[in-house]
Amino acid sequence: MSDDQGGEHNFASDNVSAVCPEIMAAIVNANVGSVGSYGSDPLTARLTERLKEVFETDLVAIPVATGTAANALALSVLTPPYGSVLCAESAHINTDECGAPEFYMGGAKLLGLPAPAGKLSADSVELAIAQARAGGLQSAQPHAISLTQSTEWGTVYSRQELASISAIAAKNDIAVHMDGSRLANGLVRLGCSPAEMTWKSGIDVLSFGATKNGAMAAEMVIFFDCDRAAGLAARHKRAGHLWSKSRFLSAQLLAYLTDDLWLRNAGNANVSATYLAEGLLKIEGVCLLQPVEANEVFVILPEPVSTRLRHRGLGFAAWRRGNLFNQNAFRFVTSYSTRTSDIDRLLNSA
Ligand SMILES: Cc1ncc(COP(=O)(O)O)c(C=O)c1O
C-alpha cells in the first residue's frame, strides 16, 4: 500500500477505480496503424501465447468486455437449454446478471444452492445431483457447476475444496466453471500457481476477470479442454461480443499479465482489505459477517458509525442479500488503487 495523498476514495466496489496506468498506456500504445480485425491482430496472437505460458497448458481463449458476457457465453457452451447449472445461491450469475446466463443457454435453469460464506460444498453439490437424477425427466439435469473465486462474500475456496467439488463433477460427467471476476485476488490469497487453482483443480472453463483489478473493460472466457470449446467462437459472434477492434481488449489483457501486474494489483487490494478490517474491528460494536480472505469486507456497523461515514461523504454499500436483511450490514471493497491513507481517513471519520 502506498501512502500518497489524494481525493476521497470510494469503497463501494472495485469497479469504481480508474484504469491503472500500465493498462491505459497499453491501450494508447495499441492505437497505432492498421492491424487485422476481429482478433487476427498481433496483440491477440501474443495474448494467446502469454496465456498458455501463464496457465502452463494449451487453451482456447476469447476476450470479452464484461464479466456477465464471459459467464453467460461460458455456460452456454456447457449446458443445453433443457439442462441446469448448480451454483451458490449468492452467485453473481444467480443474483446480478438479469437472467443473461439463462438467456444465452436458451432457457437452462440455474439451481442456487445454500452456500454459507458464498462457497458450494462437495456435499451440497452431491445431494443436488442425486436429487436431479432421482427426478429423472421431471428435473433439469445438471450439466455444469459454477463456482466463484474469490466468492461474492469475499471468501476463497482452498485447493482442496475445489478438488473435492471437481471430483464429484467428474464422477457425474458434469463440467466445472469458475467465475473469476476476482480471480487474481483468490490466487494471491492461495499463493499457488494459476494452473494449480484452475485446471489442475478440475476447472474446465474459466471466466477470467481483469476489469475490477485495473483494466478498463477486459475479461476472457478460457477453455482448458479445447475439445469442449466447440461452438464458442460462433456463440461469441452471434451474441455480438466479437469486437472488430479486438486489439484494444488484447492490449489490456497483455499488459495485465506483464510483470505480474495482475498479482501486484490484487496483492495491494487484499492487503488493504485486511488492514481496513483490522481497523474497523477496533471500533466498538463492529463485527465481521465473513472472514476477510480477498478484497471485500462485510461488516455490521453500529448505526452512528455508518451515519457519520455517510455524512462525511465516504462511499460504501449497504448489503442486503439473500436472507440478510440487517439494516446495519455493509460491504467495503478495496482495489489496486486503495492507499493506506484512504483507509486511515475512513477509520478516522468513523
Ligand atoms: C462475482 C462477479 N462475477 C461477475 C461479475 C461481472 O459483472 P459485469 O458484467 O458487470 O462485468 C461481477 C461484477 O460485479 C462479479 O462480482
Side-chain angles (χ1 to χ4, degrees):
M1 283 185 286
S2 80
D3 277 314
D4 303 340
Q5 295 300 309
E8 214 53 87
H9 192 73
N10 188 336
F11 293 86
S13 170
D14 33 13
N15 278 325
V16 302
S17 57
V19 178
C20 78
E22 294 89 337
I23 293 181
M24 193 53 105
I27 295 172
V28 171
N29 290 340
N31 195 31
V32 179
S34 319
V35 297
S37 50
Y38 297 105
S40 66
D41 60 279
L43 284 174
T44 303
R46 271 172 54 202
L47 173 64
T48 308
E49 288 318 302
R50 180 73 189 118
L51 285 168
K52 290 178 185 173
E53 271 170 31
V54 167
F55 284 99
E56 305 172 62
T57 188
D58 199 15
L59 47 78
V60 173
I62 54 157
V64 289
T66 71
T68 299
N71 287 338
L73 278 170
L75 293 172
S76 74
V77 175
L78 302 176
T79 315
Y82 49 83
S84 65
V85 176
L86 305 180
C87 62
E89 260 169 2
S90 51
H92 196 267
I93 55 170
N94 196 34
T95 59
D96 287 281
E97 296 188 0
C98 195
E102 294 93 325
F103 177 61
Y104 277 51
M105 291 186 291
K109 195 173 171 57
L110 293 182
L111 287 173
L113 308 182
K119 292 187 198 177
L120 291 170
S121 70
D123 286 348
S124 66
V125 165
E126 192 159 38
L127 183 64
I129 296 170
Q131 284 171 346
R133 298 290 190 247
L137 208 47
Q138 314 298 330
S139 300
Q141 296 299 320
H143 285 249
I145 296 168
S146 179
L147 49 85
T148 308
Q149 183 80 317
S150 54
T151 74
E152 289 78 1
W153 279 110
T155 53
V156 175
Y157 286 93
S158 68
R159 282 170 62 197
Q160 201 173 10
E161 287 169 329
L162 294 174
S164 59
I165 292 170
S166 300
I168 289 163
K171 199 167 79 187
N172 289 280
D173 198 19
I174 292 174
V176 185
H177 164 252
M178 177 178 273
D179 175 351
S181 169
R182 296 189 177 88
L183 187 83
N185 304 93
L187 193 57
V188 166
R189 168 74 188 193
L190 291 190
C192 62
S193 72
E196 284 167 338
M197 198 178 78
T198 57
W199 62 272
K200 287 187 179 173
S201 293
I203 306 302
D204 300 297
V205 184
L206 173 66
S207 297
F208 179 104
T211 309
K212 294 180 195 310
N213 195 28
M216 178 183 282
E219 317 270 317
M220 276 179 287
V221 181
I222 299 180
F223 274 70
F224 297 111
D225 178 350
C226 300
D227 294 339
R228 255 198 164 120
L232 175 64
R235 285 175 183 276
H236 185 205
K237 175 63 184 170
R238 186 184 69 155
H241 283 290
L242 175 59
W243 282 25
S244 56
K245 297 193 181 181
S246 286
R247 66 166 127 163
F248 295 106
L249 282 176
S250 300
Q252 295 178 63
L253 292 159
L254 253 182
Y256 189 64
L257 294 171
T258 298
D259 297 334
D260 287 343
L261 179 64
W262 61 315
L263 303 178
R264 286 187 278 120
N265 281 0
N268 183 73
N270 287 10
V271 167
S272 300
T274 302
Y275 181 65
L276 171 61
E278 285 168 0
L280 287 172
L281 283 173
K282 289 186 187 141
I283 302 168
E284 202 183 331
V286 172
C287 62
L288 287 180
L289 286 164
Q290 298 291 349
V292 176
E293 296 177 348
N295 67 323
E296 298 180 271
V297 181
F298 293 90
V299 278
I300 298 290
L301 295 182
E303 199 274 327
V305 174
S306 57
T307 304
R308 264 198 305 276
L309 291 175
R310 288 278 187 232
H311 283 161
R312 290 179 190 166
L314 286 148
F316 55 102
W319 211 248
R320 280 167 218 127
R321 293 291 164 114
N323 55 8
L324 179 71
F325 291 110
N326 192 325
Q327 300 286 331
N328 297 319
F330 297 95
R331 180 182 84 160
F332 294 77
V333 189
T334 51
S335 76
Y336 81 90
S337 65
T338 307
R339 297 159 298 190
T340 311
S341 54
D342 298 321
I343 299 170
D344 288 339
R345 253 201 308 278
L346 180 137
L347 294 173
N348 291 335
S349 301

